[in-house]
Amino acid sequence: MISDKLQKVRKFESEYLQNIDADIRPSFHLTGAVGWINDPNGFSLYKDEYHLFYQSHPYTRTWGPMHWGHVKTKDFVRWERLDAAMAPDESFDDQGCFSGSAMELEDGRHLLMYTGVSMGNGYLLQQQCIAFGDGVNYEKYANNPVVSTADLPDNIDIRDFRDPKIWKENDTYYMVAGARTLESDGVILLYSSADLVHWTYEGVLDASRGQYGRMWECPDFFEMDGKRVLIFSPCEMNSIGLEFHPGHNTAVAVGHCDGALKNFKRETIQSVDYGLDFYAPQTLAAKDGRRIMVAWMQNWVSQMCRAEGIDFFGQMTLPREICLKNGRLYQQPVREIEAYRKNHVFYNNVYVRGETSLNNISGRCIDLIIKVRPVHEGSYQKFTVNLAMDGENRTSFRYNPLKQTVRIDRTRGGFPYDIVNQREFFVSNRNGEISFRVLMDKYSIELFINDGEQAASSVIYTRQSADSISFASEGEVIIDVDKYDLVVE
Ligand code: FRU
């Protein structure tokens, strides 16, 4: 049954979509139909297409009672908009349909599992709910929630238990959810079920133990190369060196399970993305075996930064292929984006000292690859790439081979508010050699360093006419540059 609230949102979005100027949207990054979006939800393969849902409040450009927006794709670049899938219209979720996941069931139905937020005794309760659908319409299960606050271990705060990620393994359904202990420590809880409706608490999969933040959101847990990988978004963190910054982060823990899944042992932990805007990633296993990740390309800290004249707020990263190498998570933009490359311009062995620009290396919707090497050992102290430039604006990233750091700076990236605009992080030592791949769109820069060893994503609001690019070296370097326009029609 389609409730009044769901009907209302579907009508609102479809009317808006008839009037919007498509040119105002990013050229290859997904945005909501209208209004606010945050986390990706329900990223899943269903009937041969990839479905993505997302947290959405179309009526304003600010966060509000959460709906699930819905799109699907065949190639992770072009998305088809579908009607909103869920509205907060039941007693168990009337304060919001929070984040969750999806999977195709053996009987052909598409299952959504999400957090229903409802009013408890003077506070908001977070409980896990399910809905079944056909890729277009979804029916919420009448006896929701299927995991209620009664299913929580004693030391968990019932106001912070959310974002179920579901999967099936050896005939059992499993689900991980983020939570906060009564002592305000982030944890991931593991549940299992034989029938999707009755769930058993298995144990704590991993916990902050005072180190990685007070609440863990949006977990994802999967197997890769014989390892178990846990991705999650810790909030209220203190900084840890240059690896994690204060506030909201995304982390990936690589480890193994001795016997049961609940015995997950973390071996390494790192940031998933070192930029200013990246949160709540979610992954799926693609048909060809690749693990693909997408995230909200925003951070809660910068949520007040909205470009004037644009009716939507929030965008997704370009989906990324992820893999493990030497215990680290590597990321590359999905290879499908390469089909949209046009106008290749390339330079080999360009000597740079001071600031220079190169003919035809400019633009705002581009795929730009830069390989940097010293002329001789220690020949340079800093190398900077400036993007989205005009007389007033520039967003840059600067490599310091002595400190082994990269510093992103969007202080002049068109932001009307004073927010965190810089971030510095360590990169690996390759004797002064470093490579960058930049996917720049109208309102964002996604940076991939050393063939995906690290990624850094940041939103910019620089006017579109600011499209110059320059390279600057303190000392002498040699660079190779490849540039393509990215044209997605
Ligand atoms: C993460 C998050 C989730 C929650 C959702 C609400 O960004 O806080 O934990 O389910 O957003 O919109």
Side-chain angles (χ1 to χ4, degrees):
M1 200 201 62
I2 298 175
S3 68
D4 290 350
K5 267 195 185 168
L6 189 57
Q7 220 159 9
K8 181 179 163 210
V9 77
R10 287 179 167 190
K11 187 160 173 279
F12 180 77
E13 291 193 339
S14 72
E15 282 174 4
Y16 178 83
L17 283 170
Q18 285 164 17
N19 299 324
I20 186 158
D21 173 5
D23 269 1
I24 207 142
R25 294 201 187 264
S27 90
F28 56 96
H29 284 92
L30 178 70
T31 52
V34 53
W36 166 280
I37 66 166
N38 57 292
D39 314 352
N41 295 156
F43 192 32
S44 55
L45 175 60
Y46 179 67
K47 300 212 159 133
D48 231 33
E49 291 179 306
Y50 298 104
H51 285 250
L52 179 66
F53 304 80
Y54 47 84
Q55 292 284 279
S56 140
H57 186 253
Y59 302 116
T60 63
R61 293 190 302 170
T62 48
W63 190 87
M66 283 289 113
H67 298 63
W68 275 37
H70 189 190
V71 290
K72 65 180 183 181
T73 184
K74 289 191 168 71
D75 74 351
F76 301 110
V77 179
R78 292 157 72 107
W79 300 89
E80 182 185 334
R81 283 189 196 282
L82 299 168
D83 281 341
M86 292 196 286
D89 51 14
E90 292 284 351
S91 57
F92 47 79
D93 65 15
D94 59 5
Q95 303 296 309
C97 300
F98 275 20
S99 285
S101 53
M103 66 178 283
E104 179 163 7
L105 299 177
E106 271 133 35
D107 63 10
R109 290 179 300 169
H110 201 195
L111 169 84
L112 310 183
M113 187 163 198
Y114 68 102
T115 302
V117 184
S118 57
M119 199 41 110
N121 258 341
Y123 44 79
L124 294 174
L125 287 178
Q126 304 196 336
Q127 308 186 97
Q128 315 322 319
C129 301
I130 52 176
F132 299 93
D134 60 2
V136 179
N137 291 307
Y138 294 82
E139 189 85 31
K140 292 174 186 166
Y141 177 60
N143 293 327
N144 274 332
V146 291
V147 188
S148 75
T149 49
D151 301 308
L152 279 171
D154 288 345
N155 65 333
I156 299 297
D157 189 328
I158 57 178
R159 295 165 301 183
D160 280 310
F161 170 43
R162 56 182 178 267
D163 312 335
K165 173 80 199 244
I166 189 174
W167 75 100
K168 195 173 184 188
E169 195 168 323
N170 302 330
D171 288 333
T172 301
Y173 296 101
Y174 288 96
M175 178 271 279
V176 280
R180 182 197 297 269
T181 65
L182 293 174
E183 298 79 41
S184 223
D185 200 46
V187 288
I188 303 296
L189 306 180
L190 176 71
Y191 287 80
S192 67
S193 170
D195 60 5
L196 298 168
V197 167
H198 304 93
W199 289 86
T200 308
Y201 172 64
E202 294 279 337
V204 170
L205 196 78
D206 200 0
S208 163
R209 295 184 198 90
Q211 258 193 310
Y212 299 101
R214 298 180 165 280
M215 166 69 200
W216 284 6
E217 300 184 319
C218 302
D220 196 347
F221 190 58
F222 51 88
E223 198 171 7
M224 193 175 248
D225 298 344
K227 295 280 183 193
R228 292 280 173 170
V229 180
L230 174 66
I231 293 180
F232 58 99
S233 297
C235 23
E236 298 169 52
M237 264 192 82
N238 297 321
S239 62
I240 301 183
L242 296 183
E243 188 65 27
F244 294 98
H245 56 98
H248 289 75
N249 282 271
T250 49
V252 50
V254 179
H256 62 276
C257 296
D258 292 328
L261 285 178
K262 64 182 172 198
N263 299 332
F264 175 69
K265 295 272 171 324
R266 192 199 303 159
E267 292 163 16
T268 59
I269 186 164
Q270 62 166 97
S271 254
V272 178
D273 187 287
Y274 296 82
L276 295 157
D277 295 295
F278 185 94
Y279 200 64
Q282 202 170 81
T283 72
L284 59 68
K287 281 182 263 184
D288 56 9
R290 286 177 297 165
R291 178 70 52 179
I292 311 285
M293 176 176 75
V294 65
W296 185 38
M297 191 160 49
Q298 196 65 53
N299 195 297
W300 287 103
V301 181
S302 55
Q303 60 169 301
M304 78 296 267
C305 295
R306 284 166 229 121
E308 279 319 305
I310 295 183
D311 295 341
F312 49 84
F313 176 81
Q315 40 184 335
M316 297 298 165
T317 61
L318 183 70
R320 300 175 183 175
E321 299 177 16
I322 59 174
C323 64
L324 295 177
K325 269 190 215 169
N326 313 321
R328 273 197 77 86
L329 187 79
Y330 271 63
Q331 305 168 51
Q332 295 280 6
V334 278
R335 64 194 66 171
E336 285 85 345
I337 190 70
E338 291 163 29
Y340 298 90
R341 284 170 163 176
K342 296 256 155 56
N343 310 327
H344 187 197
V345 181
F346 62 96
Y347 290 85
N348 284 335
N349 293 317
V350 179
Y351 172 86
V352 182
R353 182 184 190 119
E355 187 167 350
T356 186
S357 31
L358 298 171
N359 269 347
N360 293 320
I361 301 288
S362 62
R364 282 296 287 272
C365 298
I366 58 169
D367 190 347
L368 176 68
I369 298 153
I370 308 148
K371 296 194 173 116
V372 184
R373 50 191 174 273
V375 171
H376 55 79
E377 204 186 313
S379 73
Y380 73 104
Q381 295 75 51
K382 276 171 197 159
F383 176 77
T384 308
V385 178
N386 298 302
L387 301 159
M389 284 207 306
D390 59 13
E392 244 172 84
N393 300 287
R394 65 172 55 190
T395 293
S396 57
F397 54 89
R398 168 170 300 169
Y399 173 51
N400 183 324
L402 300 174
K403 281 166 66 189
Q404 292 302 332
T405 55
V406 166
R407 184 180 192 83
I408 297 175
D409 186 348
R410 62 155 183 217
T411 315
R412 290 197 272 153
F415 277 88
Y417 301 94
D418 188 20
I419 51 156
V420 182
N421 282 325
Q422 296 182 0
R423 189 169 173 198
E424 185 171 24
F425 51 93
F426 285 113
V427 293
S428 61
N429 183 355
R430 298 182 179 212
N431 300 318
E433 292 195 14
I434 191 162
S435 76
F436 300 107
R437 179 163 174 205
V438 181
L439 288 197
M440 179 159 53
D441 200 339
K442 288 180 191 155
Y443 315 109
S444 64
I445 294 172
E446 287 180 85
L447 174 62
F448 298 85
I449 299 171
N450 292 333
D451 299 315
E453 189 177 37
Q454 281 167 290
S457 314
S458 304
V459 162
I460 56 168
Y461 280 127
T462 323
R463 56 182 169 238
Q464 300 305 314
S465 57
D467 65 353
S468 300
I469 294 173
S470 77
F471 307 98
S473 167
E474 279 178 32
E476 304 172 296
V477 291
I478 302 288
I479 61 173
D480 300 333
V481 181
D482 286 81
K483 191 215 89 175
Y484 306 83
D485 295 323
L486 289 174
V487 182
V488 181
E489 271 141 12

